Amino acid sequence: MRKDKILLGHGSGGRLMHNLIKDLLLKKLDNLVLKELSDSAVINYKERLCFTTDSYVVNPLKFPGGDIGKLSVCGSINDLVMLGAKPEFLSLALIIEEGFEYRALENIIDSISLTARKNGVNFVTGDIKVVEKGACDKIFINTSGIGRIIKNKKLSVKNIAPQDKIIITGNIAQHGFAVLTKRKELDLGFNIKSDCAALTGLIIPVLKKTNAIKFMRDPTRGGIATTLNEIAEAARLGIIIEEKAIPISQKVRAASELLGIDPLYVANEGSALLVVSSKVAKKVVALLRRHPLGRNAKIIGEVVREPKGQVILNTVLGTQRIVDMLTNEPLPRIC
Amino acid sequence: MRKDKILLGHGSGGRLMHNLIKDLLLKKLDNLVLKELSDSAVINYKERLCFTTDSYVVNPLKFPGGDIGKLSVCGSINDLVMLGAKPEFLSLALIIEEGFEYRALENIIDSISLTARKNGVNFVTGDIKVVEKGACDKIFINTSGIGRIIKNKKLSVKNIAPQDKIIITGNIAQHGFAVLTKRKELDLGFNIKSDCAALTGLIIPVLKKTNAIKFMRDPTRGGIATTLNEIAEAARLGIIIEEKAIPISQKVRAASELLGIDPLYVANEGSALLVVSSKVAKKVVALLRRHPLGRNAKIIGEVVREPKGQVILNTVLGTQRIVDMLTNEPLPRIC
């Protein structure tokens, strides 16, 4: 890949973005916290804090199950929760295109406000920029967040070991398909609803009840395929996934067949991948299922010693295939 | 003003933006920390932290004295410093237009890296989004920051009292004119250099040496006129400024006359307004002048009991005029 232009794939969460981060950002902005390449940073003050940032450029601004406002709160909340932090404070930075409807902005702020209140986070600082018509597409939102780490035990890929189980907390690929079908105005004869949700209520209680969770990440851009690859690479272990175990709604299955898009690569915004020790995996699933967001939680695979850094899928047909990271962007601006 | 479209003025830092914040954001996202309407939030953990966010959409990306990279580090550093915090951790969120030159991105990251290292801050988390060609203008950068409050004494408009002195730490309006003349490719026969700089080294030592500083703010969008109005309104006191005392370079003076733009409304990116008790104001100026960024520091006015909430300028002609907030945006995307 020639390095002269930024491609859409550089923002896909997949291989190209990884290279951009490694080749440019890590090289130039190197420090120990950043090197962890997590979606959030853990900062050692007297209390351990977690710090995260995310920009939201989703198109369209509204989709079944959410809008850019809800997404921009849930997304940053989830990045904190994935590091075992209770989200507390958020910032809100708006970049708005001149001529954007005031009423539409109001609806977005309503959605932000509602989602924040529901999930016990406060917006404590913010910024507004307005750019000329044509200089941005309607509205972009950045939220950064601070949370308080609730456990001393550090969630880290270093804790992952062979035989650990992989849990997904909900049906996959709902968000990406919701945005895609809305954007393209595809008439599938049914609506797919995004899973867009804040995971605080699902995850934090389970984290408090057990020490079994070793690592968590929410499979957003690039889908579970990309996130599992990140985990396998970072842990220098393999991951085997059972296709038949992966929870997937009838609608997403139908849409993925109709459109020829592999749901393993499609974004989620309200599900998490958990790596847990095998002994208590079933107990963790049972705990997760008590919560409405976790009622489809399932063990979908396990960690193996070899092949290091790779993800293998046992298909429903009984074959095996290597599942690589997303390399090209099939669907930009899904978050 | 009809509330149906977002106007460029809604991002100007002036009256329209204030209304948008008051009418929409404060109403919907209300909490005690946000209500302070500072550029950063103070958070009471065991240690007091300061949290800030800012997006940078400057056009052009490079200007005499800086670029969007340097600006995006200095701007968020300064927001923290203004609350008496030592900046420590930053996040970096990039929104990049498809097709943007990789080399240009590299130059921006170099500039970010250099500025961060010079000023002792670390980037600990980040995000990249790439949008289709035409969906944003080249690159937008958000940096959020966390700093540690270095004093127990709270900097607050509540501390401001009549007779307090107003200090500006450097020549005004350099940044806005630098960006304007570069963007319009105006040939003034000379270059105006932005004052773009991180104020950590100038301000933090002075803050440690004296308790005289009651309040600080950096007069970015909307210039010193807008910031002084914010201070006067929040403190419910008046401010009188002496035009002849305001430090202004020959070049900025010439440009403002040629272009008919009042420098009081033009953005600064490396100067701060300080409100200090009158007894020690001269001492504070002397301390500031020891630092290269403070060598033009001057007392430019004082706080008075009446007229409450207003800023009065004693002109060089011996007349008085009311200086209002910026209401219209003469120059969008200066930061």
Side-chain angles (χ1 to χ4, degrees), chain A residues 131-153:
Chain A
V131 297
E132 323 87 85
K133 198 150 186 62
C136 88
D137 187 11
K138 298 186 190 83
I139 187 167
F140 299 151
I141 298 179
N142 177 284
T143 57
S144 298
I146 298 179
R148 195 189 295 252
I149 304 277
I150 58 158
K151 282 222 170 173
N152 285 320
K153 182 172 164 280

mmCIF file with all atom_site columns, all heavy atoms in Angstrom, chain A residues 131-153:
data_model
loop_
_atom_site.group_PDB
_atom_site.id
_atom_site.type_symbol
_atom_site.label_atom_id
_atom_site.label_alt_id
_atom_site.label_comp_id
_atom_site.label_asym_id
_atom_site.label_entity_id
_atom_site.label_seq_id
_atom_site.pdbx_PDB_ins_code
_atom_site.Cartn_x
_atom_site.Cartn_y
_atom_site.Cartn_z
_atom_site.occupancy
_atom_site.B_iso_or_equiv
_atom_site.pdbx_formal_charge
_atom_site.auth_seq_id
_atom_site.auth_comp_id
_atom_site.auth_asym_id
_atom_site.auth_atom_id
_atom_site.pdbx_PDB_model_num
ATOM 1   N N   . VAL A 1 131 ? -18.270 25.450  11.076 1.00 0.00 ? 131 VAL A N   1
ATOM 2   C CA  . VAL A 1 131 ? -17.482 25.633  9.852  1.00 0.00 ? 131 VAL A CA  1
ATOM 3   C C   . VAL A 1 131 ? -18.422 25.976  8.696  1.00 0.00 ? 131 VAL A C   1
ATOM 4   O O   . VAL A 1 131 ? -19.627 25.718  8.766  1.00 0.00 ? 131 VAL A O   1
ATOM 5   C CB  . VAL A 1 131 ? -16.638 24.376  9.528  1.00 0.00 ? 131 VAL A CB  1
ATOM 6   C CG1 . VAL A 1 131 ? -15.620 24.119  10.637 1.00 0.00 ? 131 VAL A CG1 1
ATOM 7   C CG2 . VAL A 1 131 ? -17.513 23.152  9.313  1.00 0.00 ? 131 VAL A CG2 1
ATOM 8   N N   . GLU A 1 132 ? -17.894 26.591  7.654  1.00 0.00 ? 132 GLU A N   1
ATOM 9   C CA  . GLU A 1 132 ? -18.705 27.025  6.529  1.00 0.00 ? 132 GLU A CA  1
ATOM 10  C C   . GLU A 1 132 ? -19.434 25.848  5.884  1.00 0.00 ? 132 GLU A C   1
ATOM 11  O O   . GLU A 1 132 ? -18.981 24.714  5.945  1.00 0.00 ? 132 GLU A O   1
ATOM 12  C CB  . GLU A 1 132 ? -17.882 27.678  5.414  1.00 0.00 ? 132 GLU A CB  1
ATOM 13  C CG  . GLU A 1 132 ? -16.744 28.531  5.798  1.00 0.00 ? 132 GLU A CG  1
ATOM 14  C CD  . GLU A 1 132 ? -15.484 27.716  5.995  1.00 0.00 ? 132 GLU A CD  1
ATOM 15  O OE1 . GLU A 1 132 ? -14.779 27.450  5.011  1.00 0.00 ? 132 GLU A OE1 1
ATOM 16  O OE2 . GLU A 1 132 ? -15.212 27.358  7.165  1.00 0.00 ? 132 GLU A OE2 1
ATOM 17  N N   . LYS A 1 133 ? -20.514 26.194  5.215  1.00 0.00 ? 133 LYS A N   1
ATOM 18  C CA  . LYS A 1 133 ? -21.285 25.188  4.486  1.00 0.00 ? 133 LYS A CA  1
ATOM 19  C C   . LYS A 1 133 ? -20.338 24.442  3.546  1.00 0.00 ? 133 LYS A C   1
ATOM 20  O O   . LYS A 1 133 ? -19.554 25.039  2.831  1.00 0.00 ? 133 LYS A O   1
ATOM 21  C CB  . LYS A 1 133 ? -22.404 25.881  3.692  1.00 0.00 ? 133 LYS A CB  1
ATOM 22  C CG  . LYS A 1 133 ? -23.487 24.931  3.267  1.00 0.00 ? 133 LYS A CG  1
ATOM 23  C CD  . LYS A 1 133 ? -24.863 25.577  3.159  1.00 0.00 ? 133 LYS A CD  1
ATOM 24  C CE  . LYS A 1 133 ? -25.904 24.507  2.877  1.00 0.00 ? 133 LYS A CE  1
ATOM 25  N NZ  . LYS A 1 133 ? -25.996 23.518  3.980  1.00 0.00 ? 133 LYS A NZ  1
ATOM 26  N N   . GLY A 1 134 ? -20.407 23.117  3.581  1.00 0.00 ? 134 GLY A N   1
ATOM 27  C CA  . GLY A 1 134 ? -19.541 22.325  2.717  1.00 0.00 ? 134 GLY A CA  1
ATOM 28  C C   . GLY A 1 134 ? -18.242 21.894  3.371  1.00 0.00 ? 134 GLY A C   1
ATOM 29  O O   . GLY A 1 134 ? -17.553 21.026  2.854  1.00 0.00 ? 134 GLY A O   1
ATOM 30  N N   . ALA A 1 135 ? -17.878 22.517  4.522  1.00 0.00 ? 135 ALA A N   1
ATOM 31  C CA  . ALA A 1 135 ? -16.606 22.165  5.155  1.00 0.00 ? 135 ALA A CA  1
ATOM 32  C C   . ALA A 1 135 ? -16.725 20.968  6.097  1.00 0.00 ? 135 ALA A C   1
ATOM 33  O O   . ALA A 1 135 ? -15.719 20.404  6.515  1.00 0.00 ? 135 ALA A O   1
ATOM 34  C CB  . ALA A 1 135 ? -16.013 23.366  5.889  1.00 0.00 ? 135 ALA A CB  1
ATOM 35  N N   . CYS A 1 136 ? -17.951 20.590  6.480  1.00 0.00 ? 136 CYS A N   1
ATOM 36  C CA  . CYS A 1 136 ? -18.142 19.287  7.127  1.00 0.00 ? 136 CYS A CA  1
ATOM 37  C C   . CYS A 1 136 ? -19.537 18.795  6.797  1.00 0.00 ? 136 CYS A C   1
ATOM 38  O O   . CYS A 1 136 ? -20.385 19.576  6.350  1.00 0.00 ? 136 CYS A O   1
ATOM 39  C CB  . CYS A 1 136 ? -17.891 19.333  8.637  1.00 0.00 ? 136 CYS A CB  1
ATOM 40  S SG  . CYS A 1 136 ? -19.282 19.754  9.675  1.00 0.00 ? 136 CYS A SG  1
ATOM 41  N N   . ASP A 1 137 ? -19.782 17.519  6.973  1.00 0.00 ? 137 ASP A N   1
ATOM 42  C CA  . ASP A 1 137 ? -21.082 16.957  6.619  1.00 0.00 ? 137 ASP A CA  1
ATOM 43  C C   . ASP A 1 137 ? -22.007 16.999  7.836  1.00 0.00 ? 137 ASP A C   1
ATOM 44  O O   . ASP A 1 137 ? -21.992 16.095  8.667  1.00 0.00 ? 137 ASP A O   1
ATOM 45  C CB  . ASP A 1 137 ? -20.905 15.523  6.100  1.00 0.00 ? 137 ASP A CB  1
ATOM 46  C CG  . ASP A 1 137 ? -22.223 14.969  5.556  1.00 0.00 ? 137 ASP A CG  1
ATOM 47  O OD1 . ASP A 1 137 ? -23.186 15.746  5.401  1.00 0.00 ? 137 ASP A OD1 1
ATOM 48  O OD2 . ASP A 1 137 ? -22.280 13.759  5.299  1.00 0.00 ? 137 ASP A OD2 1
ATOM 49  N N   . LYS A 1 138 ? -22.744 18.076  7.964  1.00 0.00 ? 138 LYS A N   1
ATOM 50  C CA  . LYS A 1 138 ? -23.768 18.293  9.003  1.00 0.00 ? 138 LYS A CA  1
ATOM 51  C C   . LYS A 1 138 ? -23.183 18.482  10.395 1.00 0.00 ? 138 LYS A C   1
ATOM 52  O O   . LYS A 1 138 ? -23.121 19.589  10.899 1.00 0.00 ? 138 LYS A O   1
ATOM 53  C CB  . LYS A 1 138 ? -24.800 17.165  9.007  1.00 0.00 ? 138 LYS A CB  1
ATOM 54  C CG  . LYS A 1 138 ? -25.580 17.072  7.706  1.00 0.00 ? 138 LYS A CG  1
ATOM 55  C CD  . LYS A 1 138 ? -26.686 16.030  7.800  1.00 0.00 ? 138 LYS A CD  1
ATOM 56  C CE  . LYS A 1 138 ? -27.293 15.755  6.442  1.00 0.00 ? 138 LYS A CE  1
ATOM 57  N NZ  . LYS A 1 138 ? -26.528 14.793  5.628  1.00 0.00 ? 138 LYS A NZ  1
ATOM 58  N N   . ILE A 1 139 ? -22.796 17.391  11.039 1.00 0.00 ? 139 ILE A N   1
ATOM 59  C CA  . ILE A 1 139 ? -22.283 17.541  12.411 1.00 0.00 ? 139 ILE A CA  1
ATOM 60  C C   . ILE A 1 139 ? -21.366 16.371  12.760 1.00 0.00 ? 139 ILE A C   1
ATOM 61  O O   . ILE A 1 139 ? -21.638 15.226  12.395 1.00 0.00 ? 139 ILE A O   1
ATOM 62  C CB  . ILE A 1 139 ? -23.447 17.645  13.436 1.00 0.00 ? 139 ILE A CB  1
ATOM 63  C CG1 . ILE A 1 139 ? -22.925 17.970  14.841 1.00 0.00 ? 139 ILE A CG1 1
ATOM 64  C CG2 . ILE A 1 139 ? -24.302 16.385  13.437 1.00 0.00 ? 139 ILE A CG2 1
ATOM 65  C CD1 . ILE A 1 139 ? -24.022 18.383  15.824 1.00 0.00 ? 139 ILE A CD1 1
ATOM 66  N N   . PHE A 1 140 ? -20.255 16.697  13.413 1.00 0.00 ? 140 PHE A N   1
ATOM 67  C CA  . PHE A 1 140 ? -19.368 15.683  13.980 1.00 0.00 ? 140 PHE A CA  1
ATOM 68  C C   . PHE A 1 140 ? -19.303 15.941  15.482 1.00 0.00 ? 140 PHE A C   1
ATOM 69  O O   . PHE A 1 140 ? -19.285 17.095  15.911 1.00 0.00 ? 140 PHE A O   1
ATOM 70  C CB  . PHE A 1 140 ? -17.948 15.787  13.405 1.00 0.00 ? 140 PHE A CB  1
ATOM 71  C CG  . PHE A 1 140 ? -17.845 15.589  11.900 1.00 0.00 ? 140 PHE A CG  1
ATOM 72  C CD1 . PHE A 1 140 ? -16.840 16.217  11.181 1.00 0.00 ? 140 PHE A CD1 1
ATOM 73  C CD2 . PHE A 1 140 ? -18.736 14.764  11.222 1.00 0.00 ? 140 PHE A CD2 1
ATOM 74  C CE1 . PHE A 1 140 ? -16.722 16.037  9.803  1.00 0.00 ? 140 PHE A CE1 1
ATOM 75  C CE2 . PHE A 1 140 ? -18.629 14.574  9.850  1.00 0.00 ? 140 PHE A CE2 1
ATOM 76  C CZ  . PHE A 1 140 ? -17.628 15.217  9.132  1.00 0.00 ? 140 PHE A CZ  1
ATOM 77  N N   . ILE A 1 141 ? -19.265 14.878  16.253 1.00 0.00 ? 141 ILE A N   1
ATOM 78  C CA  . ILE A 1 141 ? -19.241 15.020  17.708 1.00 0.00 ? 141 ILE A CA  1
ATOM 79  C C   . ILE A 1 141 ? -18.040 14.278  18.273 1.00 0.00 ? 141 ILE A C   1
ATOM 80  O O   . ILE A 1 141 ? -17.792 13.135  17.916 1.00 0.00 ? 141 ILE A O   1
ATOM 81  C CB  . ILE A 1 141 ? -20.539 14.459  18.334 1.00 0.00 ? 141 ILE A CB  1
ATOM 82  C CG1 . ILE A 1 141 ? -21.752 15.247  17.822 1.00 0.00 ? 141 ILE A CG1 1
ATOM 83  C CG2 . ILE A 1 141 ? -20.471 14.483  19.864 1.00 0.00 ? 141 ILE A CG2 1
ATOM 84  C CD1 . ILE A 1 141 ? -23.092 14.750  18.366 1.00 0.00 ? 141 ILE A CD1 1
ATOM 85  N N   . ASN A 1 142 ? -17.303 14.947  19.154 1.00 0.00 ? 142 ASN A N   1
ATOM 86  C CA  . ASN A 1 142 ? -16.283 14.240  19.923 1.00 0.00 ? 142 ASN A CA  1
ATOM 87  C C   . ASN A 1 142 ? -16.709 14.227  21.385 1.00 0.00 ? 142 ASN A C   1
ATOM 88  O O   . ASN A 1 142 ? -17.102 15.256  21.929 1.00 0.00 ? 142 ASN A O   1
ATOM 89  C CB  . ASN A 1 142 ? -14.915 14.927  19.800 1.00 0.00 ? 142 ASN A CB  1
ATOM 90  C CG  . ASN A 1 142 ? -13.860 14.234  20.658 1.00 0.00 ? 142 ASN A CG  1
ATOM 91  O OD1 . ASN A 1 142 ? -13.827 14.377  21.873 1.00 0.00 ? 142 ASN A OD1 1
ATOM 92  N ND2 . ASN A 1 142 ? -13.016 13.445  20.025 1.00 0.00 ? 142 ASN A ND2 1
ATOM 93  N N   . THR A 1 143 ? -16.667 13.053  21.997 1.00 0.00 ? 143 THR A N   1
ATOM 94  C CA  . THR A 1 143 ? -16.797 12.986  23.447 1.00 0.00 ? 143 THR A CA  1
ATOM 95  C C   . THR A 1 143 ? -15.535 12.346  24.002 1.00 0.00 ? 143 THR A C   1
ATOM 96  O O   . THR A 1 143 ? -15.035 11.365  23.460 1.00 0.00 ? 143 THR A O   1
ATOM 97  C CB  . THR A 1 143 ? -18.016 12.155  23.901 1.00 0.00 ? 143 THR A CB  1
ATOM 98  O OG1 . THR A 1 143 ? -17.927 10.851  23.347 1.00 0.00 ? 143 THR A OG1 1
ATOM 99  C CG2 . THR A 1 143 ? -19.329 12.797  23.467 1.00 0.00 ? 143 THR A CG2 1
ATOM 100 N N   . SER A 1 144 ? -14.993 12.955  25.045 1.00 0.00 ? 144 SER A N   1
ATOM 101 C CA  . SER A 1 144 ? -13.916 12.331  25.787 1.00 0.00 ? 144 SER A CA  1
ATOM 102 C C   . SER A 1 144 ? -14.468 12.031  27.166 1.00 0.00 ? 144 SER A C   1
ATOM 103 O O   . SER A 1 144 ? -15.428 12.670  27.600 1.00 0.00 ? 144 SER A O   1
ATOM 104 C CB  . SER A 1 144 ? -12.709 13.256  25.864 1.00 0.00 ? 144 SER A CB  1
ATOM 105 O OG  . SER A 1 144 ? -12.231 13.510  24.552 1.00 0.00 ? 144 SER A OG  1
ATOM 106 N N   . GLY A 1 145 ? -13.900 11.051  27.833 1.00 0.00 ? 145 GLY A N   1
ATOM 107 C CA  . GLY A 1 145 ? -14.486 10.654  29.106 1.00 0.00 ? 145 GLY A CA  1
ATOM 108 C C   . GLY A 1 145 ? -13.455 10.253  30.134 1.00 0.00 ? 145 GLY A C   1
ATOM 109 O O   . GLY A 1 145 ? -12.345 9.834   29.800 1.00 0.00 ? 145 GLY A O   1
ATOM 110 N N   . ILE A 1 146 ? -13.841 10.443  31.380 1.00 0.00 ? 146 ILE A N   1
ATOM 111 C CA  . ILE A 1 146 ? -13.023 10.023  32.513 1.00 0.00 ? 146 ILE A CA  1
ATOM 112 C C   . ILE A 1 146 ? -13.854 9.088   33.388 1.00 0.00 ? 146 ILE A C   1
ATOM 113 O O   . ILE A 1 146 ? -15.010 9.380   33.688 1.00 0.00 ? 146 ILE A O   1
ATOM 114 C CB  . ILE A 1 146 ? -12.566 11.232  33.358 1.00 0.00 ? 146 ILE A CB  1
ATOM 115 C CG1 . ILE A 1 146 ? -11.690 12.171  32.519 1.00 0.00 ? 146 ILE A CG1 1
ATOM 116 C CG2 . ILE A 1 146 ? -11.814 10.774  34.608 1.00 0.00 ? 146 ILE A CG2 1
ATOM 117 C CD1 . ILE A 1 146 ? -11.226 13.401  33.278 1.00 0.00 ? 146 ILE A CD1 1
ATOM 118 N N   . GLY A 1 147 ? -13.274 7.968   33.760 1.00 0.00 ? 147 GLY A N   1
ATOM 119 C CA  . GLY A 1 147 ? -13.938 7.047   34.669 1.00 0.00 ? 147 GLY A CA  1
ATOM 120 C C   . GLY A 1 147 ? -12.997 6.640   35.778 1.00 0.00 ? 147 GLY A C   1
ATOM 121 O O   . GLY A 1 147 ? -11.792 6.866   35.701 1.00 0.00 ? 147 GLY A O   1
ATOM 122 N N   . ARG A 1 148 ? -13.579 6.053   36.796 1.00 0.00 ? 148 ARG A N   1
ATOM 123 C CA  . ARG A 1 148 ? -12.810 5.626   37.959 1.00 0.00 ? 148 ARG A CA  1
ATOM 124 C C   . ARG A 1 148 ? -12.686 4.111   37.896 1.00 0.00 ? 148 ARG A C   1
ATOM 125 O O   . ARG A 1 148 ? -13.687 3.411   37.805 1.00 0.00 ? 148 ARG A O   1
ATOM 126 C CB  . ARG A 1 148 ? -13.599 6.038   39.199 1.00 0.00 ? 148 ARG A CB  1
ATOM 127 C CG  . ARG A 1 148 ? -12.876 6.015   40.494 1.00 0.00 ? 148 ARG A CG  1
ATOM 128 C CD  . ARG A 1 148 ? -13.857 6.242   41.638 1.00 0.00 ? 148 ARG A CD  1
ATOM 129 N NE  . ARG A 1 148 ? -14.465 7.568   41.609 1.00 0.00 ? 148 ARG A NE  1
ATOM 130 C CZ  . ARG A 1 148 ? -14.161 8.542   42.493 1.00 0.00 ? 148 ARG A CZ  1
ATOM 131 N NH1 . ARG A 1 148 ? -13.296 8.321   43.453 1.00 0.00 ? 148 ARG A NH1 1
ATOM 132 N NH2 . ARG A 1 148 ? -14.759 9.717   42.419 1.00 0.00 ? 148 ARG A NH2 1
ATOM 133 N N   . ILE A 1 149 ? -11.464 3.629   37.919 1.00 0.00 ? 149 ILE A N   1
ATOM 134 C CA  . ILE A 1 149 ? -11.246 2.178   37.881 1.00 0.00 ? 149 ILE A CA  1
ATOM 135 C C   . ILE A 1 149 ? -11.848 1.561   39.150 1.00 0.00 ? 149 ILE A C   1
ATOM 136 O O   . ILE A 1 149 ? -11.554 2.013   40.258 1.00 0.00 ? 149 ILE A O   1
ATOM 137 C CB  . ILE A 1 149 ? -9.740  1.853   37.811 1.00 0.00 ? 149 ILE A CB  1
ATOM 138 C CG1 . ILE A 1 149 ? -9.086  2.544   36.615 1.00 0.00 ? 149 ILE A CG1 1
ATOM 139 C CG2 . ILE A 1 149 ? -9.504  0.344   37.802 1.00 0.00 ? 149 ILE A CG2 1
ATOM 140 C CD1 . ILE A 1 149 ? -9.213  1.848   35.307 1.00 0.00 ? 149 ILE A CD1 1
ATOM 141 N N   . ILE A 1 150 ? -12.700 0.535   38.986 1.00 0.00 ? 150 ILE A N   1
ATOM 142 C CA  . ILE A 1 150 ? -13.409 0.037   40.164 1.00 0.00 ? 150 ILE A CA  1
ATOM 143 C C   . ILE A 1 150 ? -12.720 -1.151  40.827 1.00 0.00 ? 150 ILE A C   1
ATOM 144 O O   . ILE A 1 150 ? -13.128 -1.588  41.875 1.00 0.00 ? 150 ILE A O   1
ATOM 145 C CB  . ILE A 1 150 ? -14.856 -0.365  39.822 1.00 0.00 ? 150 ILE A CB  1
ATOM 146 C CG1 . ILE A 1 150 ? -14.878 -1.430  38.724 1.00 0.00 ? 150 ILE A CG1 1
ATOM 147 C CG2 . ILE A 1 150 ? -15.669 0.835   39.421 1.00 0.00 ? 150 ILE A CG2 1
ATOM 148 C CD1 . ILE A 1 150 ? -16.150 -2.214  38.722 1.00 0.00 ? 150 ILE A CD1 1
ATOM 149 N N   . LYS A 1 151 ? -11.679 -1.671  40.202 1.00 0.00 ? 151 LYS A N   1
ATOM 150 C CA  . LYS A 1 151 ? -10.982 -2.812  40.798 1.00 0.00 ? 151 LYS A CA  1
ATOM 151 C C   . LYS A 1 151 ? -9.492  -2.570  40.753 1.00 0.00 ? 151 LYS A C   1
ATOM 152 O O   . LYS A 1 151 ? -8.988  -1.885  39.871 1.00 0.00 ? 151 LYS A O   1
ATOM 153 C CB  . LYS A 1 151 ? -11.268 -4.074  39.980 1.00 0.00 ? 151 LYS A CB  1
ATOM 154 C CG  . LYS A 1 151 ? -12.617 -4.651  40.278 1.00 0.00 ? 151 LYS A CG  1
ATOM 155 C CD  . LYS A 1 151 ? -12.507 -6.162  40.364 1.00 0.00 ? 151 LYS A CD  1
ATOM 156 C CE  . LYS A 1 151 ? -13.811 -6.704  40.910 1.00 0.00 ? 151 LYS A CE  1
ATOM 157 N NZ  . LYS A 1 151 ? -13.822 -8.156  40.870 1.00 0.00 ? 151 LYS A NZ  1
ATOM 158 N N   . ASN A 1 152 ? -8.788  -3.202  41.673 1.00 0.00 ? 152 ASN A N   1
ATOM 159 C CA  . ASN A 1 152 ? -7.342  -3.093  41.628 1.00 0.00 ? 152 ASN A CA  1
ATOM 160 C C   . ASN A 1 152 ? -6.743  -4.026  40.588 1.00 0.00 ? 152 ASN A C   1
ATOM 161 O O   . ASN A 1 152 ? -5.728  -3.735  39.990 1.00 0.00 ? 152 ASN A O   1
ATOM 162 C CB  . ASN A 1 152 ? -6.742  -3.378  42.999 1.00 0.00 ? 152 ASN A CB  1
ATOM 163 C CG  . ASN A 1 152 ? -6.961  -2.198  43.921 1.00 0.00 ? 152 ASN A CG  1
ATOM 164 O OD1 . ASN A 1 152 ? -6.842  -1.055  43.494 1.00 0.00 ? 152 ASN A OD1 1
ATOM 165 N ND2 . ASN A 1 152 ? -7.323  -2.467  45.154 1.00 0.00 ? 152 ASN A ND2 1
ATOM 166 N N   . LYS A 1 153 ? -7.422  -5.141  40.377 1.00 0.00 ? 153 LYS A N   1
ATOM 167 C CA  . LYS A 1 153 ? -6.942  -6.104  39.403 1.00 0.00 ? 153 LYS A CA  1
ATOM 168 C C   . LYS A 1 153 ? -7.017  -5.483  38.007 1.00 0.00 ? 153 LYS A C   1
ATOM 169 O O   . LYS A 1 153 ? -8.063  -4.995  37.593 1.00 0.00 ? 153 LYS A O   1
ATOM 170 C CB  . LYS A 1 153 ? -7.816  -7.350  39.468 1.00 0.00 ? 153 LYS A CB  1
ATOM 171 C CG  . LYS A 1 153 ? -7.384  -8.445  38.524 1.00 0.00 ? 153 LYS A CG  1
ATOM 172 C CD  . LYS A 1 153 ? -8.197  -9.704  38.820 1.00 0.00 ? 153 LYS A CD  1
ATOM 173 C CE  . LYS A 1 153 ? -8.087  -10.680 37.689 1.00 0.00 ? 153 LYS A CE  1
ATOM 174 N NZ  . LYS A 1 153 ? -8.967  -10.365 36.548 1.00 0.00 ? 153 LYS A NZ  1
#
